[in-house]
Amino acid sequence: GAVVSQHPSRVICKSGTSVKIECRSLDFQATTMFWYRQFPKQSLMLMATSNEGSKATYEQGVEKDKFLINHASLTLSTLTVTSAHPEDSSFYICSARGQNNQPQHFGDGTRLSIL
Amino acid sequence: GQQVMQIPQYQHVQEGEDFTTYCNSSTTLSNIQWYKQRPGGHPVFLIQLVKSGEVKKQKRLTFQFGEAKKNSSLHITATQTTDVGTYFCAGTDSNYQLIWGAGTKLIIKP
């Protein structure tokens, strides 16, 4: 089946640090990649949608200058949490999709802890 | 905006009992997808339903898509401890946007 690799799986860092998370589709071309945030015991919250070569579309309430998304190729998207603060601590999950109407395949997620 | 309501939020069952989760959309969907997320893990795609009235089975799991393509259900027969997790439905709208249900957490009572 389709494989999506997400790194790192866990990050612990000091407040003010910027953190980059990578999401790669290993065996298919991901026309669209999605970035989600999930708080404990809650559903997935879509942060942004990115199409290869285009600017990401951010959901309402998500700061685009805070969460920088780059989707430079059909197999790689990155999310950079800039100047992270404790309230940014969360579980971040990426997913990738080939064509429209196809299912999303998820990475393993990144657990971000800001001290 | 478009919403997909999923109920119940939690369900506690004894091992061996059946489990059902329901999703209802405010608008007609192009398709509906089901995912399972184990505790501490990421969502894993289970199945996609496309046709009106479609029913698909995966071993003890039965998935249904309503005639109006607005509702769907997932039924698990004779639950096992390996079924524990949160089950999400996600509907695709006419703009290919995925609208997620809030998930139903299945808890197996020992």
Side-chain angles (χ1 to χ4, degrees):
Chain A
V3 178
V4 174
S5 173
Q6 184 174 343
H7 292 283
S9 58
R10 186 170 181 91
V11 180
I12 302 172
C13 58
K14 293 181 180 178
S15 185
T17 308
S18 291
V19 178
K20 180 187 274 190
I21 303 169
E22 288 191 351
C23 183
R24 293 179 185 272
S25 57
L26 298 185
D27 55 356
F28 68 102
Q29 292 187 325
T31 307
T32 309
M33 286 189 170
F34 304 86
W35 287 95
Y36 294 86
R37 186 172 178 175
Q38 188 174 35
F39 292 102
K41 300 182 181 180
Q42 294 191 23
S43 183
L44 299 164
M45 185 192 82
L46 180 65
M47 298 174 65
T49 302
S50 73
N51 292 295
E52 184 261 339
S54 303
K55 286 185 179 180
T57 302
Y58 289 81
E59 296 299 303
Q60 194 172 6
V62 179
E63 299 175 58
K64 61 180 181 181
D65 295 329
K66 173 77 173 176
F67 300 98
L68 300 177
I69 292 171
N70 184 282
H71 190 167
S73 76
L74 283 171
T75 59
L76 173 65
S77 177
T78 61
L79 166 68
T80 302
V81 184
T82 61
S83 187
H85 290 96
E87 59 267 26
D88 299 322
S89 299
S90 191
F91 189 50
Y92 293 88
I93 315 177
C94 73
S95 70
R97 183 182 72 190
Q99 300 300 318
N100 289 336
N101 263 351
Q102 287 183 341
Q104 295 180 23
H105 299 281
F106 286 82
D108 287 341
T110 297
R111 201 161 298 279
L112 176 62
S113 300
I114 307 297
L115 305 177
Chain B
Q2 286 181 286
Q3 287 187 332
V4 171
M5 303 300 293
Q6 185 172 1
I7 58 168
Q9 188 176 4
Y10 299 93
Q11 187 159 4
H12 294 76
V13 300
Q14 293 280 3
E15 188 175 4
E17 290 182 338
D18 293 355
F19 161 80
T20 306
T21 173
Y22 301 90
C23 285
N24 192 50
S25 168
S26 56
T27 58
T28 303
L29 300 168
S30 298
N31 65 51
I32 194 151
Q33 299 165 13
W34 286 91
Y35 295 80
K36 176 184 178 182
Q37 184 176 22
R38 291 180 182 273
H42 63 275
V44 173
F45 172 72
L46 295 177
I47 208 160
Q48 176 171 283
L49 304 173
V50 179
K51 298 177 184 174
S52 168
E54 190 169 15
V55 178
K56 286 188 176 179
K57 292 192 175 186
Q58 289 179 350
K59 297 183 180 178
R60 294 177 294 104
L61 277 61
T62 302
F63 304 84
Q64 292 187 319
F65 200 12
E67 294 289 341
K69 299 182 74 172
K70 285 186 173 184
N71 56 72
S72 182
S73 65
L74 157 60
H75 180 81
I76 303 177
T77 304
T79 55
Q80 299 175 357
T81 55
T82 52
D83 296 325
V84 163
T86 301
Y87 293 83
F88 293 95
C89 64
T92 303
D93 67 13
S94 55
N95 295 318
Y96 303 109
Q97 296 297 312
L98 207 59
I99 309 163
W100 289 84
T104 296
K105 187 172 183 178
L106 171 59
I107 300 160
I108 307 282
K109 292 186 279 190

